Amino acid sequence: MRLAHVTDLHFGAEAPEVVAGLRQDLAAREVDRVLVGGDLTMRARDEQFSAARDLLDTIGTPWTSVPGNHDLPLDRPSRAYGGLDSYRRLIDERAEPVVRDGGLLLLGLSSPRPYLWKGGRLDAGQVRRIGTDLAPEARLKVLMLHHPVFRSPQRPHEALVHGAGAALRAAATVRTDLILCGHDHVAAQAALPGGMIGVLSGTACSWRVRAGESQSYTVVDLAGDRLTLTVREWHDGAFRERSAVEWRRSAHGWQA
Ligand SMILES: [Fe+2]
């Protein structure tokens, strides 16, 4: 099973040559599914959602998305009353998809909130859904949300999603394998409590790079009890392999 975690596309602040390179590189990876971690747009405008949708629809592979804080409109009335309306109309009616496909079981949760400027939250109902929607057996159980549940070494002072502790406990209880996050615009991975793997991917195709990093995304390869996380980074006009880390599944969960 091969997946690609692609996040923080930020159409409206995209670098066109990186968008073209991303489309090409994703198609060449022949992944089973592209998982999109939110912030598809810069300002939640229709033309920005449409440009993101055009990229996703032309990769030639199924994709699944969750929204990020930039996918809520900026102006107060539409943020409060419209919320994710444009996201639902132009990207996906379901902001919290459940996907069962082959050995994959994925739950996507929506962490942006109109009343939080850029932070995110998982409430008690969403934490409960982790415990129920990710309970069935699967070869790979994945939880995806926009805001991070762990801190990267590059940006150690960034805020975590509110409710991160409860979400991690619920995910570990049902033996979730992978938690995919974005928002920080850096690539990192971590061994999380309960034997889970945390993945942060960088901004896939915007010029909003941070901490000296370039645009990047992560390829997830599962073969038996081995899982390889490959970070592909934009460098010299193409996406190239930056790092590959192999994780192994044991009775205690995943270890690098
Ligand atoms: Fe974000």
Side-chain angles (χ1 to χ4, degrees):
M1 181 193 309
R2 175 178 279 184
L3 309 167
H5 179 232
V6 175
T7 184
D8 295 80
L9 298 90
H10 285 293
F11 276 89
E14 81 277 20
E17 71 280 14
V18 185
V19 175
L22 180 65
R23 179 185 276 120
Q24 205 172 32
D25 204 64
L26 283 169
R29 298 280 81 70
E30 297 186 338
V31 299
D32 299 306
R33 184 173 291 268
V34 175
L35 306 179
V36 185
D39 280 2
L40 286 80
T41 71
M42 195 57 207
R43 290 287 173 249
R45 299 205 173 108
D46 280 10
E47 68 274 16
Q48 297 171 354
F49 281 121
S50 297
R53 181 69 194 252
D54 177 70
L55 168 65
L56 296 174
D57 285 346
T58 51
I59 294 166
T61 192
W63 54 269
T64 306
S65 171
V66 292
N69 48 300
H70 278 264
D71 301 321
L72 287 170
L74 207 55
D75 72 279
R76 282 163 195 263
S78 6
R79 192 174 174 94
Y81 300 110
L84 290 171
D85 284 0
S86 301
Y87 177 91
R88 291 182 191 278
R89 181 163 45 83
L90 294 164
I91 300 297
D92 191 347
E93 175 59 37
R94 308 158 306 159
E96 302 205 312
V98 177
V99 174
R100 177 124 223 182
D101 183 11
L104 171 69
L105 176 60
L106 175 131
L107 169 65
L109 290 177
S110 175
S111 54
R113 295 289 185 274
Y115 55 85
L116 294 175
W117 181 244
K118 55 179 242 186
R121 174 181 297 276
L122 293 180
D123 60 33
Q126 289 174 304
V127 170
R128 270 197 301 278
R129 286 192 53 206
I130 296 172
T132 52
D133 290 350
L134 287 179
E137 283 306 310
R139 265 178 71 209
L140 189 72
K141 298 188 188 187
V142 180
L143 172 65
M144 177 166 68
L145 68 156
H146 178 65
H147 292 88
V149 296
F150 71 98
R151 293 188 176 88
S152 69
Q154 301 96 313
R155 307 189 78 204
H157 305 298
E158 287 303 298
L160 299 182
V161 65
H162 295 280
L168 285 171
R169 285 190 293 277
T173 301
V174 293
R175 298 180 72 86
T176 300
D177 297 296
L178 263 184
I179 305 186
L180 305 177
C181 311
H183 187 67
D184 280 356
H185 296 201
V186 294
Q189 48 192 279
L192 300 177
M196 302 183 291
I197 306 171
V199 173
L200 273 180
S201 296
T203 176
C205 55
S206 81
W207 47 258
R208 292 165 58 91
V209 291
R210 290 185 195 136
E213 296 203 359
S214 186
Q215 294 85 357
S216 69
Y217 72 95
T218 308
V219 180
V220 178
D221 268 302
L222 178 70
D225 286 332
R226 286 179 311 151
L227 186 141
T228 307
L229 294 176
T230 305
V231 176
R232 293 189 64 82
E233 189 174 61
W234 179 257
H235 184 63
D236 268 351
F239 278 91
R240 303 164 200 274
E241 183 176 317
R242 164 173 131 184
S243 64
V245 176
E246 189 177 293
W247 295 72
R248 282 181 179 274
R249 201 196 306 250
S250 72
H252 310 291
W254 292 96
Q255 286 172 324

